[in-house]
């Protein structure tokens, strides 16, 4: 009987997973990808998975990419599900990106500035021509030439503006920042919660929203005050020690977008900043994040909130790709109970509509 | 049976369970009110029962007997997957028999058998906010709940009746709990709504992605919204179950061929199997 076909879910699941494992491995005649190779040679994928998986561990991110066959959202999900099992020790001291060991730093607002412009390992200015020489295994490229002197610490561009009073300073706070992995998002959200949400958010979603602000949906004439990328030290004060210890260095990308602000009753005309910070070398996301961050400040700055990117609930509740993918994909779960009740309703409504259409006179008489 | 030693009993750490239990206590104290909680990321995707799983994990004890259903059936793939998850991380006994279960996690159905005070029904909830199709903003709906301002929903039902002659919602049909909070019963068919009213079992609702928990304590009044001249009427397919002959259970329609052939079978597989075996036993006695 046909009905029997829906039984045996357990066996079907187990066989499907066997098939998945086989598909993941691909042709066994070819050598298996090593996690180290992914970590080294697919580094930007690893960075994205760490950022959206909200977990800084290159090895685990590379493993997740391997397990997910390169599906980066699936990989971020794997990393998140692992991360959530780890205990929370507390929060680190704020990263001091002014002391970053810079490997890339560009400003679009100044031709030259203290600390200089550093291009770093970038795809900018490469011609996007497929490099067929990479198709065959070859020699490793020779080491790139290095500057004779180490890159000095560089003051942040926004700090230069702030010292002149041209840039609004963000208020400092010693309050413990919210942790979105522990407390649900509440509205209106604090800036810290917003930035945390955006930092974990989907790159594609933020890119689209950031782009929309440039096309007139809530734009603010952004300039890249500065993008900097490099290593910063993470410091933490364990309560039982009572003094700060360094946990290690992480690679981050920071973007500070400088935006015109005409002033309001409370604030004189000045520049305002949109801020983006992501784990790894996710420059595109850091830029998009800083555009969206600035757009979300519309309410606080007394600007009209009319565009999607300025709508806090809309942005923050839809930015998380692990949440989004789960809910979109849950539509493939069985819904036949709901569908059955819809069927009954549509059939009843059709019967009523057809009866009314066929005998309008009788209906009038009846009334 | 023992659980996977690599994880704490029922997967969540004890602090998380305590946080969820506190949330549950608050939810029980304010029937129908959505209480925010720090939902964790689970190893199953959001939208696939993470809220229900967290609630179940928080209330499960080693001697509990767990039943998991999806669309009323124990053998749908996601129900199988969730049952296996708890089997692995909690090592609890599982069952498909409704009367034997102490905890029943469900998606989209309430079992046909009457539940008892000894049982807890855990619902998986995709969208806990009953007003979300009318007002997507949580800041707004929070205000509406605080003021018990549910005019918007009544207008929606009225418009349905004016346009179609009856309410067009067939599932996730809104209910009033203890005449105070408007609540989403989760996407169960409206047919199941009356079972929630003064149910002896505790009903817990978990929404993982939306990070909300709510509850209906035992014997609480749950009223499906309606009007005096348009009373709430639950519907089912007008047919008996092909397998057990039930004329009162909720039915799934199964398409049997491409020429319009179809049959109706109970959505609650345990109820259906129980009736079939009782009938078989009677048949043997008679023979």
């Amino acid at each position: 009987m046909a009905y029997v076909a829906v039984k045996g879910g357990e066996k079907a699941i187990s066989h499907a997973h066997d098939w998945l494992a086989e598909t993941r491995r691909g042709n066994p005649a070819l050598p298996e990808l090593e996690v180290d190779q992914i970590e080294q040679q697919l580094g930007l994928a690893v960075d994205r998975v760490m950022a959206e998986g909200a977990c800084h561990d290159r090895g685990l991110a590379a493993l997740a990419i391997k397990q997910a066959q390169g599906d980066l959202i699936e990989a971020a999900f794997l990393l998140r599900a692992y991360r959530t099992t780890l205990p929370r020790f507390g929060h680190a001291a704020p990263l001091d990106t002014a002391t970053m060991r810079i490997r890339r730093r560009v400003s679009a607002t100044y031709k030259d500035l203290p600390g200089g412009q550093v291009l770093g390992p970038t795809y900018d200015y490469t011609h996007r021509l497929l490099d067929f020489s990479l198709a065959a295994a070859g020699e490793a490229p020779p080491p790139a030439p290095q500057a004779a002197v180490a890159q000095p610490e560089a003051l942040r561009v926004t700090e230069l503006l702030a010292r002149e009073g041209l840039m609004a300073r963000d208020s400092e706070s010693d309050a413990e920042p919210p942790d979105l992995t522990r407390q649900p998002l509440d509205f209106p959200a604090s800036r810290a919660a917003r930035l945390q949400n955006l930092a974990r958010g989907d790159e594609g979603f933020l890119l689209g929203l950031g782009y929309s602000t440039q096309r007139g949906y809530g734009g603010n004439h952004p300039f890249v005050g500065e993008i900097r990328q490099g290593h910063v030290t993470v410091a933490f004060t364990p309560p039982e020690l009572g003094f700060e210890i360094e946990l290690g260095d992480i690679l981050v990308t920071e973007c500070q977008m400088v935006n015109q602000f005409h002033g309001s009753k409370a604030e004189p005309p000045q520049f305002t900043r949109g801020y983006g910070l992501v784990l790894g070398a996710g420059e595109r996301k850091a830029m998009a994040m800083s555009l969206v961050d600035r757009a979300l400040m519309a309410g606080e700055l007394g600007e009209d909130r009319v565009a999607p990117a300025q709508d806090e609930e809309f942005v923050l509740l839809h930015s998380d790709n692990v949440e989004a993918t789960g809910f979109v994909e849950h539509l493939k779960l069985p819904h036949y109970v709901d569908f059955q009740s819809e069927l009954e309703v549509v059939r009843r409504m059709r019967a009523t509509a057809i009866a009314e259409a066929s005998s309008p006179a009788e209906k009038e008489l009846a009334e | 049976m023992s659980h996977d030693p690599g994880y704490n009993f029922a997967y969540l750490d004890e602090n998380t369970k305590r946080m969820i239990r506190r949330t549950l206590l608050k939810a029980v104290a304010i029937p129908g009110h959505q209480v925010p909680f720090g939902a964790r990321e689970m190893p199953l995707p959001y939208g696939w029962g993470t809220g229900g799983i967290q609630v179940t994990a928080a209330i499960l004890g080693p001697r509990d007997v767990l039943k998991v259903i999806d669309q009323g059936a124990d053998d749908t793939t996601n129900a199988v997957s969730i049952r296996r998850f708890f089997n692995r991380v909690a090592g609890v006994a599982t069952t498909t028999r409704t009367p034997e279960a102490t905890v029943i996690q469900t998606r989209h159905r309430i079992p046909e058998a009457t539940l008892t005070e000894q049982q807890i029904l855990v619902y998986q909830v995709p969208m806990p906010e009953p007003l979300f199709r009318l007002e997507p903003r949580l800041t707004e709906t929070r205000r509406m709940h605080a003021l018990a301002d549910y005019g918007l929903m009544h207008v929606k039902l009225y418009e349905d009746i004016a346009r179609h002659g009856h309410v067009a919602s067939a599932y996730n049909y809104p209910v009033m709990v203890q005449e105070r909070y408007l609540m989403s019963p989760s996407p169960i068919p409206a047919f199941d709504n009356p079972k929630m009213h003064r149910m002896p079992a505790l009903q817990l609702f978990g929404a993982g992605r939306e990070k909300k928990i709510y509850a209906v304590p035992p014997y609480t009044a749950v009223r499906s919204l309606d009007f005096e001249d348009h009373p709430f009427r639950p519907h089912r397919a007008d047919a008996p179950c092909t397998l057990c002959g039930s004329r009162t259970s909720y039915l799934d329609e199964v398409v049997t061929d491409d020429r319009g052939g179809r049959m109706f079978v109970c959505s609650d597989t345990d109820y259906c199997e129980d009736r079939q075996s009782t009938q078989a036993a009677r048949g043997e006695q008679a023979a």
Side-chain angles (χ1 to χ4, degrees):
Chain A
M1 193 181 290
Y3 183 55
V4 179
V6 297
K7 299 237 175 202
E10 191 141 2
K11 207 171 183 182
I13 290 175
S14 154
H15 288 179
H17 292 174
D18 291 346
W19 197 352
L20 173 71
E22 190 186 327
T23 308
R24 189 200 60 69
R25 177 60 181 86
N27 184 352
L30 295 172
E32 185 171 355
L33 256 182
E34 285 171 29
V35 171
D36 288 350
Q37 293 175 331
I38 297 172
E39 194 262 302
Q40 286 292 314
Q41 296 174 41
L42 297 178
L44 293 177
V46 168
D47 283 350
R48 181 165 178 187
V49 169
M50 289 198 305
E52 290 167 18
C55 179
H56 190 278
D57 189 314
R58 297 190 68 80
L60 289 178
L63 174 64
I65 291 169
K66 176 175 175 175
Q67 188 177 332
Q69 299 180 59
D71 177 343
L72 299 188
I73 292 182
E74 179 70 22
F77 179 20
L78 286 167
L79 204 54
R80 290 254 195 112
Y82 169 78
R83 173 199 198 282
T84 193
T85 64
L86 304 174
R88 180 194 148 95
F89 293 117
H91 63 280
L95 296 180
D96 185 4
T97 51
T99 60
M100 175 186 279
R101 268 75 74 208
I102 282 171
R103 70 172 204 179
R104 171 166 168 78
R105 192 242 195 161
V106 290
S107 169
T109 49
Y110 293 101
K111 184 171 183 180
D112 199 8
L113 67 171
Q117 308 250 19
V118 183
L119 277 182
T122 176
Y123 279 98
D124 294 352
Y125 316 113
T126 63
H127 297 145
R128 269 61 168 206
L129 302 169
L130 275 177
D131 181 357
F132 295 106
S133 71
L134 286 178
E139 301 275 301
Q146 293 220 351
V149 285
Q151 182 60 33
E153 282 183 10
L155 204 62
R156 283 179 298 237
V157 167
T158 45
E159 182 58 29
L160 294 174
L161 288 167
R163 284 184 185 176
E164 214 182 318
L166 291 172
M167 166 70 78
R169 276 192 194 277
D170 292 321
S171 52
E172 283 188 25
S173 166
D174 288 329
E176 179 162 347
D179 182 348
L180 292 183
T181 67
R182 290 294 186 268
Q183 299 132 13
L185 201 55
D186 197 10
F187 298 99
S190 65
R191 179 121 184 263
R194 285 199 315 238
L195 290 170
Q196 211 174 107
N197 174 288
L198 297 178
R200 287 156 55 97
D202 181 69
E203 179 172 316
F205 180 76
L206 296 184
L207 180 65
L209 276 178
Y211 178 46
S212 73
T213 67
Q214 290 180 281
R215 294 196 64 262
Y217 291 87
N220 287 290
H221 297 278
F223 297 96
V224 170
E226 181 177 22
I227 293 167
R228 55 170 63 199
Q229 186 185 98
H231 287 88
V232 287
T233 303
V234 181
F236 175 65
T237 306
E240 62 270 34
L241 287 184
F243 55 85
E244 196 170 271
I245 54 170
E246 289 186 357
L247 297 181
D249 284 359
I250 58 172
L251 177 72
V252 296
T253 304
E254 181 186 60
C255 175
Q256 303 227 36
M257 209 63 91
V258 177
N259 300 270
Q260 208 183 84
F261 176 57
H262 296 298
S264 64
K265 279 179 194 146
E267 300 274 344
Q270 57 191 325
F271 292 107
T272 52
R273 98 181 71 196
Y275 188 76
L277 183 85
V278 290
L279 287 180
E283 185 167 301
R284 182 187 303 123
K285 176 165 162 184
M287 293 180 74
M289 176 176 168
S290 61
L291 290 174
V292 176
D293 172 51
R294 175 58 186 81
L296 288 175
M297 286 158 65
E300 289 137 56
L301 293 170
E303 297 166 341
D304 288 339
R305 288 203 290 184
V306 286
Q310 295 169 322
D311 186 326
E312 182 176 81
E313 279 201 44
F314 179 81
V315 173
L316 301 186
L317 287 178
H318 302 110
S319 61
D320 191 300
N321 57 20
V322 176
E323 288 176 6
T325 194
F327 200 49
V328 167
E329 294 196 46
H330 107 285
L331 291 172
K332 64 194 167 191
L333 287 179
H335 281 79
Y336 37 80
V337 163
D338 303 346
F339 186 66
Q340 185 62 39
S341 49
E342 290 270 273
L343 266 180
E344 298 298 330
V345 164
V346 172
R347 280 179 184 147
R348 262 202 320 278
M349 293 198 314
R350 279 177 60 86
T352 316
I354 291 166
E356 280 174 9
S358 62
S359 55
E362 280 171 40
K363 188 170 170 276
E364 270 168 37
L365 278 177
E367 280 172 356
Chain B
M1 221 175 333
S2 62
H3 71 276
D4 188 328
Y7 296 95
N8 191 34
F9 175 79
Y11 185 75
L12 297 174
D13 62 275
E14 293 303 315
N15 280 333
T16 301
K17 284 194 213 171
R18 186 167 62 182
M19 176 272 293
I20 295 174
R21 287 178 194 140
R22 282 177 175 164
T23 310
L24 287 169
L25 288 175
K26 185 169 180 185
V28 167
I30 317 172
H33 170 63
Q34 302 166 52
V35 187
F37 80 114
R40 299 294 191 254
E41 263 133 353
M42 300 300 283
L44 281 81
Y46 283 118
W48 297 52
T50 54
I53 292 169
Q54 288 179 78
V55 170
T56 299
I59 61 171
L60 217 51
R63 282 186 299 282
D64 270 312
V65 181
L66 177 68
K67 173 182 164 83
V68 184
I69 50 172
D70 186 342
Q71 315 291 301
D74 299 90
D75 54 12
T76 35
T77 41
N78 203 44
V80 168
S81 166
I82 292 170
R83 191 163 55 240
R84 276 175 49 168
F85 175 73
F86 279 113
N87 199 272
R88 177 173 173 189
V89 298
V92 292
T94 57
T95 183
T96 59
R97 304 270 298 109
T98 304
E100 286 170 12
T102 56
V103 176
I104 302 172
Q105 180 169 329
T106 180
R107 175 168 172 265
H108 294 192
R109 270 316 306 276
I110 297 175
E112 304 289 355
T114 307
L115 302 180
T116 68
E117 287 177 8
Q118 275 68 47
Q119 295 177 303
I120 300 177
L121 186 58
V122 178
Y123 295 75
Q124 301 172 199
V125 182
M127 293 300 276
E129 178 47 66
L131 297 161
F132 85 95
R133 287 193 194 284
L134 307 172
E135 173 53 67
R137 249 164 248 282
L138 300 179
T139 38
E140 268 304 302
T141 55
R142 195 166 58 192
R143 191 190 59 79
M144 291 156 83
H145 283 295
L147 301 173
D149 174 9
Y150 299 133
L152 206 56
M153 183 58 90
H154 284 106
V155 169
K156 190 256 175 197
L157 297 184
Y158 169 77
E159 284 179 348
D160 275 2
I161 291 168
R163 200 171 298 155
H164 311 295
H166 46 79
V167 174
S169 300
Y171 63 95
N172 212 343
Y173 189 103
V175 294
M176 278 298 282
V177 179
Q178 208 76 3
E179 293 303 320
R180 173 58 183 87
Y181 282 102
L182 187 71
M183 186 187 92
S184 160
S186 87
I188 57 172
F191 173 86
D192 280 341
N193 277 17
K195 294 178 189 163
M196 306 181 85
H197 180 59
R198 301 205 189 285
M199 183 190 278
L202 170 63
Q203 303 175 72
L204 303 176
F205 299 77
R209 191 178 38 77
E210 297 286 330
K211 301 173 178 60
K212 298 275 167 54
I213 282 174
Y214 52 101
V216 174
Y219 303 107
T220 302
V222 177
R223 179 174 66 81
S224 302
L225 287 194
D226 61 357
F227 297 100
E228 275 174 22
D229 51 344
H230 277 90
F232 171 79
R233 271 202 311 259
H235 286 282
R236 68 189 281 277
D238 185 20
C241 169
T242 308
L243 301 176
C244 78
S246 173
R247 290 187 170 276
T248 55
S249 69
Y250 191 77
L251 300 173
D252 286 336
E253 185 171 332
V254 181
V255 176
T256 51
D257 57 39
D258 56 4
R259 296 180 301 279
R262 61 176 69 114
M263 65 176 197
F264 292 92
V265 293
C266 292
S267 123
D268 184 337
T269 48
D270 176 60
Y271 169 84
C272 193
E273 280 159 20
D274 189 50
R275 280 176 54 88
Q276 288 176 62
S277 60
T278 313
Q279 286 161 7
R282 273 200 211 121
E284 276 169 28
Q285 273 177 358

